[in-house]
Amino acid sequence: MRYFSALIPLLFFLVGCGAESEVTLAPVVYSPDSSLAVEFISTADSGMAYAVRSNGEIVVDTSQLGFEFREAAPLVKGLNVEQIDIRVVDEEYELPWGEQRTYHNHCQEMKVALKEVGEGGRKLNLIFRVFNDGVGFRYEFPAQEGWENAVVTNELTEFRLVGDPQAWWIPGDWDSYEHLYQSTRLSEISALTMTNDPNLVANSVKENAVNTPVTFRYDDGLHLSIHEANLTNYSGMTLRRPTDKPGFECSLVPAPDGSKASIPIPFATPWRTIQISPDAAGLLSSRLILHLNDPTQSGDFSWIQPTKYVGIWWEMHLNKSSWDLASGKHGATTAHAKELIDFAAANQIGAMLVEGWNTGWERWIGFPDREGVFDFVTPYPDYDLAEVVRYGKEKGIELIMHHETSAAPRTYEQQLDTAYALMQSLGIHAVKTGYVGPIIPEGEHHHGQWMVRHYRKVAEHAAAHQVAVNIHEPIKATGLRRTWPNIISREGLRGQEFNAWAQDGGNPPDHLTIVPFTRGLAGPIDYTPGIFHLSMDPYKENDLQTTLVHQLALYVVIYSPIQMAADLIEYYEGSPAFQFIRDVGVDWEQSVVLEAEIGEVVVMAREEKETGNWFVGGITGNEPRSLEMALDFLGEGEYEMTVYRDGEWALDGTDASEYAIEGPRVVRADEVVKADLAKGGGVAISLIKK
């Protein structure tokens, strides 16, 4: 990493005259390529603010900064600039897994040291980092005499976007991100339209706000997305639409007493992030969220193995089997687990998930007295945990543990030591956690500070026992996988299970053409793709609204280092299309965006680590589309290409499960592949290095 301090341009404006004139400091820091600029504005009367320019044009107009506290004066006005330092950050780093092998973190940082005028003299630092693809800024409370703790009642950060861009957003629900994305102009955003969503277990939309990431597209093609990075010991941020101003105000998820965050001093808040790109593809290539997190914790993380997996999961959502023993159709039996292990071993799939293995499922969702119910070490009598683990290892298949907390985190924390010691003793290196339902104790929320601390405690505890965590009903991803690589994936969106039972018929065709530009910017997604039997008959009435090849393409389009082959294994038997799932990688040397338009089309190419094999996935939304994909991303030499494409019946809407396979045939980097995609359609390509 390079570091240097430099003199910075300071602009001075005189307001009024004589001794009472007001001086405004306006230091500016630029991105390495000078395309983006952040200006810090400080006046005695108006307080602290910032503005962002892209290629000289204002994209975020003068936006307030500051805090309000309980039993302490606000930090908004009356602060003097004591010192300004600028440095260059320029580093490369690697992670144990990812969408690429190496990451280049390059930005300019401006640190503004402020001190309160008068008695008390509290100190506050503002840190801005400007990248070629966006901006991050955070507040830092340095150690100082007489101020050791603070209770935040309001963070006053604003995002005053100019104009009225198209927006893709979900409401600011304090307990769930499992909403369909709305597409409106910024001025038309109203979370109130979704407060009665029948598909949600818990719905806590309390104000006219949206969750992040929220993404915008201007008429000239500029794309912008607001989120946060390194959410540590703080409440999750939603964005409130004020009635009297444009843009957004920060709105933190509250604690039961109405406060927003209790912080020890010294303390640094999460980074507030604004990713900016001249096109949609640039958003998908941005790694800004990762860069704003701390480097990987010391220690050995080589035990983390990206993998594909099968599991006892989808059948519960279909109601073919159940999680609980008392129902008479318990899914998690020793015999069924061994059946799935045999299938995985025969099909190049490395792991198997079992849900419903442990006692307590008879009183979980919907029961107010569910605290203390789940036992995370005691199997049901028809499930021999040790034998399943032994059998899996004999076949070369890892077991993924499952811990559903039923949103009773205190029960879970009481058993963390014994539960994770059990996994470590059995050599289990991954767990899927769940938090279905309203949080106990009442008044706490999934996205508040209390639960942010809980999620981190579990992740750190898991790392100490060499366990990777895949979190469902999570707090949002904010790049912490850089610091803790065992935070391997998470849900945090309206997932595949909605296709089985949602009252509105399931996820619409354009859902996953929006997700990469919104939720996907935050981090890996455990979407559980691979549904081949597109009709839920005979178990449910829903039908998937995408084609079978769309499901194949998701293994490349939706990034996660763990990818489930989610369907019932009988629907994979004898299917030629399943070869793509056998072949496709999960850990990548590099990733390339071939085509991208929010809500319309996403085409990604990824090179698998170590093998040199490439895989391409493309999906469409509500309209069919013809693609021409140049293979110029390939290296030198020849590749054996197989193309999986929507069949004629899929293209004409007769049968979405129909597909065609072209190849294999030998290709080089100078070729172009054409494909027609249906509404909600897809194309999947394997390119095996010869």
Side-chain angles (χ1 to χ4, degrees):
M1 179 185 294
R2 292 190 293 127
Y3 173 95
F4 67 84
S5 295
L7 293 175
I8 61 173
L10 297 180
L11 307 179
F12 295 93
F13 301 95
L14 293 181
V15 180
C17 59
E20 298 300 317
S21 294
E22 177 185 4
V23 176
T24 300
L25 285 174
V28 180
V29 61
Y30 294 90
S31 60
D33 67 359
S34 299
S35 64
L36 297 179
V38 172
E39 179 182 14
F40 174 70
I41 304 157
S42 176
T43 71
D45 292 336
S46 300
M48 304 174 290
Y50 74 100
V52 180
R53 294 179 181 269
S54 174
N55 294 312
E57 299 293 326
I58 295 176
V59 292
V60 181
D61 211 341
T62 304
S63 299
Q64 185 180 22
L65 300 164
F67 286 91
E68 293 175 343
F69 304 99
R70 180 172 293 170
E71 299 179 354
L75 275 177
V76 181
K77 303 176 183 178
L79 290 100
N80 281 338
V81 175
E82 299 281 298
Q83 184 173 332
I84 298 172
D85 293 307
I86 285 183
R87 66 169 180 147
V88 171
V89 176
D90 191 355
E91 64 171 348
E92 288 194 353
Y93 59 91
E94 293 189 14
L95 297 178
W97 51 269
E99 56 273 85
Q100 60 201 64
R101 183 182 293 273
T102 60
Y103 298 85
H104 186 199
N105 176 16
H106 190 199
C107 65
Q108 291 207 77
E109 177 188 282
M110 177 171 66
K111 181 176 182 178
V112 182
L114 300 133
K115 187 175 182 180
E116 190 177 25
V117 176
E119 187 176 355
R122 291 173 296 173
K123 298 177 182 178
L124 175 68
N125 299 329
L126 280 163
I127 303 173
F128 298 89
R129 288 188 178 181
V130 188
F131 303 81
N132 293 340
D133 57 357
V135 173
F137 61 92
R138 77 189 316 180
Y139 303 88
E140 182 182 72
F141 298 85
Q144 48 200 289
E145 186 176 349
W147 202 24
E148 298 178 350
N149 294 282
V151 176
V152 177
T153 57
N154 198 11
E155 182 186 320
L156 301 174
T157 305
E158 295 178 342
F159 301 87
R160 300 289 175 217
L161 302 185
V162 301
D164 195 20
Q166 194 72 17
W168 286 265
W169 56 274
I170 57 175
D173 191 329
W174 297 341
D175 283 296
S176 177
Y177 308 111
E178 296 181 1
H179 296 267
L180 287 174
Y181 280 90
Q182 303 292 298
S183 181
T184 68
R185 289 288 177 173
L186 187 156
S187 61
E188 298 168 338
I189 290 176
S190 173
L192 301 179
T193 62
M194 297 191 66
T195 56
N196 296 316
D197 188 337
N199 294 308
L200 297 177
V201 174
N203 196 315
S204 303
V205 180
K206 303 296 186 184
E207 56 187 2
N208 195 34
V210 299
N211 263 316
T212 67
V214 55
T215 300
F216 306 89
R217 181 183 65 207
Y218 285 89
D219 292 342
D220 65 358
L222 185 75
H223 287 67
L224 183 150
S225 186
I226 301 174
H227 189 43
E228 57 182 317
N230 196 350
L231 175 53
T232 299
N233 194 16
Y234 204 71
S235 291
M237 178 181 70
T238 70
L239 300 176
R240 180 176 55 234
R241 285 286 320 285
T243 58
D244 58 340
K245 299 178 183 178
F248 297 98
E249 298 172 342
C250 172
S251 178
L252 302 177
V253 177
D257 66 357
S259 65
K260 303 301 177 65
S262 297
I263 58 174
I265 296 174
F267 185 79
T269 69
W271 295 89
R272 279 57 188 101
T273 64
I274 309 169
Q275 290 166 280
I276 302 170
S277 171
D279 54 29
L283 286 183
L284 299 187
S285 300
S286 174
R287 305 291 178 253
L288 181 151
I289 303 295
L290 270 181
H291 298 333
L292 290 170
N293 279 266
D294 299 329
T296 302
Q297 291 288 312
S298 59
D300 177 21
F301 287 95
S302 62
W303 48 267
I304 298 175
Q305 296 297 320
T307 189
K308 288 166 282 188
Y309 68 101
V310 292
I312 302 173
W313 174 75
W314 184 240
E315 61 200 70
M316 280 94 155
H317 288 283
L318 294 178
N319 202 29
K320 177 187 178 184
S321 63
S322 70
W323 288 274
D324 65 284
L325 182 64
S327 66
K329 51 181 181 180
H330 189 218
T333 67
T334 303
H336 189 26
K338 287 184 174 181
E339 179 187 18
L340 285 162
I341 288 171
D342 289 339
F343 178 84
N347 288 282
Q348 301 164 230
I349 292 172
M352 191 270 295
L353 165 75
V354 178
E355 294 198 11
W357 68 275
N358 59 315
T359 60
W361 288 91
E362 288 77 15
R363 295 184 64 80
W364 69 299
I365 189 170
F367 285 88
D369 58 344
R370 65 195 185 278
E371 189 159 32
V373 170
F374 273 119
D375 184 325
F376 301 102
V377 297
T378 304
Y380 280 120
D382 60 347
Y383 183 73
D384 188 333
L385 173 61
E387 171 59 17
V388 171
V389 171
R390 184 206 65 77
Y391 189 77
K393 291 191 180 299
E394 178 183 294
K395 298 282 187 173
I397 304 302
E398 296 294 322
L399 182 66
I400 299 176
M401 182 58 80
H402 183 245
H403 291 164
E404 173 55 60
T405 70
S406 195
R410 292 182 299 198
T411 297
Y412 193 36
E413 290 190 13
Q414 289 166 6
Q415 299 182 55
L416 281 180
D417 288 335
T418 53
Y420 281 81
L422 173 64
M423 282 189 281
Q424 190 167 28
S425 70
L426 293 171
I428 297 173
H429 290 294
V431 63
K432 174 183 174 181
T433 59
Y435 296 84
V436 174
I439 294 293
I440 300 174
E442 185 178 356
E444 296 291 355
H445 295 281
H446 285 76
H447 309 155
Q449 183 180 27
W450 192 77
M451 280 301 293
V452 167
R453 290 169 174 164
H454 168 80
Y455 290 119
R456 179 67 66 86
K457 180 178 182 179
V458 172
E460 294 181 6
H461 205 89
H465 289 80
Q466 295 194 342
V467 175
V469 182
N470 170 20
I471 315 161
H472 281 230
E473 297 78 42
I475 185 62
K476 66 181 80 171
T478 59
L480 287 168
R481 61 186 170 116
R482 180 184 178 188
T483 312
W484 296 99
N486 68 307
I487 305 176
I488 198 164
S489 196
R490 71 185 74 204
E491 191 186 35
L493 82 166
R494 185 168 145 138
Q496 184 85 269
E497 66 268 25
F498 279 75
N499 288 322
W501 44 254
Q503 296 177 27
D504 58 13
N507 297 332
D510 66 345
H511 179 54
L512 293 176
T513 59
I514 298 171
V515 163
F517 306 96
T518 49
R519 162 67 181 86
L521 299 180
I525 300 172
D526 186 32
Y527 185 76
T528 58
I531 303 303
F532 279 17
H533 191 63
L534 304 183
S535 170
M536 304 300 104
D537 183 70
Y539 308 108
K540 295 281 188 177
E541 295 182 357
N542 284 359
D543 294 334
L544 259 69
Q545 299 181 46
T546 61
T547 68
L548 185 150
V549 181
H550 183 110
Q551 290 286 312
L552 291 182
L554 295 180
Y555 288 92
V556 184
V557 171
I558 302 297
Y559 172 66
S560 177
I562 53 170
Q563 292 278 27
M564 189 178 196
D567 211 344
L568 307 182
I569 59 176
E570 53 260 38
Y571 295 134
Y572 293 141
E573 297 284 4
S575 172
F578 192 68
Q579 187 60 46
F580 184 80
I581 297 178
R582 293 188 187 101
D583 292 338
V584 69
V586 287
D587 194 20
W588 306 109
E589 182 72 27
Q590 58 179 313
S591 297
V592 180
V593 184
L594 302 185
E595 190 164 349
E597 291 295 338
I598 304 177
E600 298 179 18
V601 62
V602 186
V603 186
M604 296 292 302
R606 303 190 196 269
E607 181 188 6
E608 187 179 21
K609 277 185 183 176
E610 313 306 337
T611 68
N613 299 332
W614 282 83
F615 298 89
V616 177
I619 60 173
T620 51
N622 293 328
E623 300 293 334
R625 197 179 192 94
S626 296
L627 298 178
E628 292 189 5
M629 296 163 284
L631 302 183
D632 53 5
F633 52 83
L634 294 176
E636 295 182 358
E638 296 180 333
Y639 294 78
E640 191 174 77
M641 180 180 74
T642 304
V643 180
Y644 303 78
R645 52 174 96 238
D646 293 331
E648 292 301 319
W649 292 347
L651 290 170
D652 68 17
T654 304
D655 182 0
S657 65
E658 199 245 346
Y659 60 91
I661 300 177
E662 173 193 301
R665 68 180 180 90
V666 174
V667 297
R668 290 179 173 271
D670 58 354
E671 295 203 29
V672 174
V673 179
K674 298 181 180 181
D676 293 326
L677 280 67
K679 173 184 177 180
V683 61
I685 305 172
S686 61
L687 295 142
I688 308 303
K689 180 76 172 175
K690 295 195 63 160

